[in-house]
Amino acid sequence: MADNNANKQQPNGLPRIGFYICHCGSNIAGTIDVADVAKYAAGLPGVVVSRDYKYMCSDPGQEMIAQDIREHKLERLVVAACSPNLHEETFRKAAAKGGLNSFFFQMVNIREHASWVHEDKKAATAKAKDLARAAVYRVRFHKALEKQQVPVDPNVLVVGGGIAGIHAALTLANAGKKVTLVERESTIGGHMAAFDKTFPTLDCAACILTPKMSAVKSHPNITLWTYSEVSKVEGYVGNYKVTVKRKPRYVIEDLCVGCMECIDACVFKEPKFADKFNQGLGKRKPVYIDFPQATPKVVMIDPETCIQFKTGKCKKSCAEACDRKAIDFDQKEEVKELQVGAIILATGFKTFDAKKEPHYGYGKYPGVFTALEIERLVNASGPTSGEVVLRDGKHPKAVGIIHCVGSRDEKTNKWCSRVCCMYSLKLAHLIKEHSGAEVYNFYIDIRAAGKAYEEFYDKLLSEGVHFIRGRVAEVTDWAMTPEEEGKLVLRVEDTLAGFVRRVPVDMVVLATGLEPQADAQEVRRRFNIGCGNEGFFQERHPKLAPVNTFTDGIFIAGACQSPKDIPDTVAQAGAAAAEALVLIDAGHVELEPNTSHVVEEECCGCKSCVPLCPYTAITFDEAKKKAVINEVICKGCGVCAAACPSGSIRQNLFEDEEIFSEIEGVLGK
Amino acid sequence: MSFEPKIVAFFCNWCTYTAADLAGVSRLKYAPNVRVIRVMCSGRVDPQFVMDAFAKGADGVLLGGCHPGDCHYAEGNYKTLRRMRMLNRMLKDMGIEDGRFRLEWISGAEGEKVKVTVNDMVAKVRALGPLDMPGKFKEWDKEIEELEAHVNSDAPTEVAHAR
């Protein structure tokens, strides 16, 4: 550590500035000559202390800053290290520890914005000096600010009633918090409710899920709104106002007891319409319930297929059959508003559309199924009561499972969907168990990274399931030999054996990958969060803040963040619930003081700023003829400050003189 | 020595600054000519900031905000767009070439776009050569001084016109 601080005298009343540059091990020091930058900064006007140190963010680093503030009577602090998004708070605290107002501090990002992105050491060092100079110039103008404290509403909204949303809601409710769980479909349970068994333990999905579903329904702290969608979100951390649309199910939820007599009484004697819950493999009537354990156990009417809605001339036998008078053909959409402090998004995923890989013949050959369809076929409560049959009712003798459909593919989705290998193994086991068929897995790599996952793969190998390493080129019904007649043939290069094979089967299962929900972009805009390139919700930090988003008070859990299996989803849901609890139990949040205010004597009353504010925080005081900013509503974007022709609007931390001096600094010599 | 342009960038905290952080975390490599100034929203960028950067010697100014519809503050970037279109006309009148000022929408996930944009802009500004507004100001000041000297002296006015 060079000593650049030999008894420096402070000229002309400039504030006394301390400059610190971090090596970050070799992350910064490997590219930037930190000692040189420190030496340079020591000569900048106002700098009385300039030091470099291995890890500024460490305890000794912070302690050094605090001690220097006291010893050298520092009035301003500049730290050149990583991104302010990572350690701004750390050094603000260090400043406070030394007795300095936290906002007399400016951070210089020379890691993410310099050492990590440049190879030329000389140029990177020059850049670091420019950025350091800008901060030193700017920090002079900093003002002492205080963070505003606002109370946090203790209620939480959970969006999405799959296993992630269920677990998060229950965790919060058990901690005594009031939770509203909003689910788009008519029942909670999500994808997990459609599964028969779960890997690798093969425990029955319903047996572990449905108790949690009914716990949600009966929990005194949970309000469950199914068949509902969030349409609007306003406010800020700790104080969100959420608008929820409750779609009409044409059955009064509070009256229906789920006896299903209306279904029996429907004028359609037989179920006739494709059943979405069973992936279209089963049939339902216009009045229906998704599955027997649906929660809430309330029937609903589909206006698209109900004769009463289509013609108005049904004898309405369903309504007659209901002695609780729960059926209401005139039900209208309800709009509800609620106040919450935190929001957990657990909106899940959709599976890849297998028709986008036409060479696998989904939709063309009836023998080709998606994995979700097979989940329903092997399910004891599914449309075939667990019998694995083809669409014509015949039993398959050989089944081929194609892995990575819509995953690990430059043409569709580049990512690994993480669950397909394991669910393919599970389905292979179940198909074999239910039908006795020969099962072939066509895989690229088997990814069985998880507790007891590799062992499950070993078990499958010993069960006599076949594994062929190779990406299937196509599924065809074009027979080359008599044995292939009437079969679906999978053409594949067996990359272990080193030749091209043709494998005739009766049934093909496509292990479709996981994708973001179709409306993920709309949803993220509604909640003001980000999506990654793949379209999954963006976490605040991939390692250190995996359930936080860039919007405080909004958390994410489960497959809406990235593909993940049930154990990981549940763990993440618990984490999101814990983060929400941290926020709520603190009772208040501190808001960044970067709000704007009007300097009254300079305001000319032109009203330019008033219509610009997206939060209507600016009003016009007609008596004084001055603009007034409500700093509680202001979110600190600074749009008004940029527009004010008289320069009377000031944004804390981003005042004109601060930015002008920063411009001067980066361009100075 | 070849000319290395100096570019001042204003990046919004939520999208483009985050994208630049992501570029760092992903260890993408790009030209070291850009100096980033962080603002909360691209809507905070007063056109005067851009003018000031040019006036103080920047060869280029890059402004980065969230994609339309994605602004953390709902609509700040639309205001930026409006202002900067006006500013563009003004810059042209001042003889500042196209390409020296650039407005880009870069989301928090687009670290790669930071790299591509910076490299592209640096190459284009390098081809344009130095802008040197401070030098031009000096030149103009000198011209005005000379003109004033002529006006104040007894020299015939035609001479001044002829300049």
Side-chain angles (χ1 to χ4, degrees), chain A residues 415-610:
Chain A
W415 61 86
C416 165
S417 296
R418 288 192 61 198
V419 294
C420 326
C421 277
M422 290 307 294
Y423 80 57
S424 296
L425 296 180
K426 173 190 79 179
L427 290 178
H429 170 87
L430 293 175
I431 290 168
K432 213 170 161 64
E433 185 181 76
H434 289 230
S435 69
E438 288 297 322
V439 183
Y440 301 86
N441 275 279
F442 300 88
Y443 68 100
I444 305 176
D445 305 288
I446 292 290
R447 297 195 163 169
K451 194 171 181 180
Y453 287 10
E454 186 69 17
E455 293 89 322
F456 186 69
Y457 175 37
D458 283 343
K459 174 180 147 84
L460 264 284
L461 286 169
S462 69
E463 280 177 4
V465 172
H466 307 282
F467 287 87
I468 297 167
R469 184 168 173 272
R471 182 158 223 153
V472 174
E474 69 166 344
V475 174
T476 176
D477 60 354
W478 185 64
M480 283 177 78
T481 60
E483 299 88 75
E484 288 178 3
E485 289 293 344
K487 300 265 186 185
L488 291 170
V489 181
L490 290 94
R491 280 206 314 125
V492 60
E493 183 189 353
D494 185 331
T495 56
L496 290 180
F499 59 89
V500 175
R501 292 172 72 155
R502 293 174 62 87
V503 182
V505 297
D506 305 299
M507 177 189 250
V508 173
V509 181
L510 304 179
T512 45
L514 274 49
E515 288 185 336
Q517 289 278 18
D519 60 350
Q521 293 289 340
E522 282 162 54
V523 171
R524 81 164 173 88
R525 288 206 173 110
R526 202 164 297 146
F527 290 91
N528 200 7
I529 63 165
C531 277
N533 282 338
E534 311 82 14
F536 292 106
F537 295 156
Q538 185 78 32
E539 64 281 359
R540 193 178 189 110
H541 191 279
K543 294 176 185 70
L544 302 179
V547 297
N548 303 67
T549 64
F550 282 100
T551 302
D552 288 334
I554 297 189
F555 307 97
I556 47 178
C560 64
Q561 184 253 348
S562 76
K564 52 180 66 72
D565 56 17
I566 295 167
D568 285 1
T569 296
V570 171
Q572 212 182 25
E579 290 284 350
L581 280 174
V582 169
L583 175 66
I584 290 166
D585 279 351
H588 64 267
V589 278
E590 289 187 324
L591 300 182
E592 271 287 300
N594 58 6
T595 50
S596 296
H597 56 276
V598 179
V599 178
E600 209 180 277
E601 47 275 23
E602 289 172 20
C603 173
C604 64
C606 72
K607 301 189 197 174
S608 301
C609 54
V610 177

Side-chain angles (χ1 to χ4, degrees), chain B residues 38-82:
Chain B
R38 182 167 72 126
V39 285
M40 293 313 285
C41 177
S42 61
R44 173 66 187 97
V45 178
D46 188 326
Q48 286 188 73
F49 296 168
V50 179
M51 305 277 275
D52 192 58
F54 281 126
K56 284 181 179 144
D59 299 299
V61 177
L62 171 62
L63 173 50
C66 307
H67 284 271
D70 287 359
C71 178
H72 187 82
Y73 302 103
E75 51 197 38
N77 50 1
Y78 291 117
K79 281 147 198 165
T80 311
L81 182 63
R82 292 206 303 244

Side-chain angles (χ1 to χ4, degrees), chain A residues 208-239:
Chain A
I208 53 179
L209 179 67
T210 50
K212 287 186 89 119
M213 287 163 65
S214 50
V216 166
K217 181 70 191 138
S218 59
H219 206 296
N221 287 341
I222 299 180
T223 307
L224 175 60
W225 286 345
T226 54
Y227 212 50
S228 304
E229 284 184 72
V230 174
S231 59
K232 200 170 164 194
V233 182
E234 295 163 287
Y236 53 93
V237 53
N239 298 273

Side-chain angles (χ1 to χ4, degrees), chain A residues 332-343:
Chain A
K332 294 278 175 303
E333 182 180 89
E334 260 185 284
V335 178
K336 300 259 194 184
E337 273 187 5
L338 58 144
Q339 291 282 345
V340 294
I343 298 172

Side-chain angles (χ1 to χ4, degrees), chain A residues 21 28-39 52 121-122 124-126 128-129:
Chain A
I21 182 165
I28 293 171
T31 314
I32 291 170
D33 184 346
V34 287
D36 188 33
V37 178
K39 204 171 141 201
D52 60 287
K121 289 185 184 177
K122 226 174 121 192
T125 305
K129 284 181 186 172

Side-chain angles (χ1 to χ4, degrees), chain B residues 105-153:
Chain B
W105 310 131
I106 304 178
S107 84
E110 293 175 321
E112 181 72 22
K113 193 170 174 187
V114 170
K115 173 186 138 177
V116 171
T117 305
V118 166
N119 283 344
D120 183 64
M121 184 160 178
V122 169
K124 284 188 175 142
V125 176
R126 190 182 285 130
L128 286 170
L131 178 64
D132 192 24
M133 287 308 278
K136 281 184 187 145
F137 288 147
K138 268 186 209 149
E139 230 171 80
W140 296 341
D141 283 347
K142 215 170 121 199
E143 273 180 40
I144 292 168
E145 263 170 43
E146 281 173 22
L147 272 173
E148 279 175 347
H150 267 288
V151 171
N152 295 336
S153 73

Side-chain angles (χ1 to χ4, degrees), chain A residues 67 91 136 179 201 226 283 304 318 322 360 441 444 493 520:
Chain A
Q67 208 178 327
F91 295 115
V136 168
V179 182
T201 45
T226 54
K283 298 265 192 286
E304 301 287 312
C318 56
C322 181
Y360 291 155
N441 275 279
I444 305 176
E493 183 189 353

Side-chain angles (χ1 to χ4, degrees), chain A residues 617-666:
Chain A
I618 311 179
T619 48
F620 190 72
D621 184 336
E622 287 292 348
K624 288 185 179 167
K625 302 279 176 214
K626 307 278 182 195
V628 184
I629 297 177
N630 183 339
E631 287 187 47
V632 177
I633 305 175
C634 172
K635 289 199 183 173
C637 62
V639 162
C640 54
C644 179
S646 65
S648 63
I649 298 183
R650 309 282 163 78
Q651 187 191 6
N652 289 337
L653 292 171
F654 297 92
E655 298 211 12
D656 280 356
E657 54 200 357
E658 289 168 345
I659 295 175
F660 281 128
S661 57
E662 212 174 337
I663 297 170
E664 194 187 335
V666 290

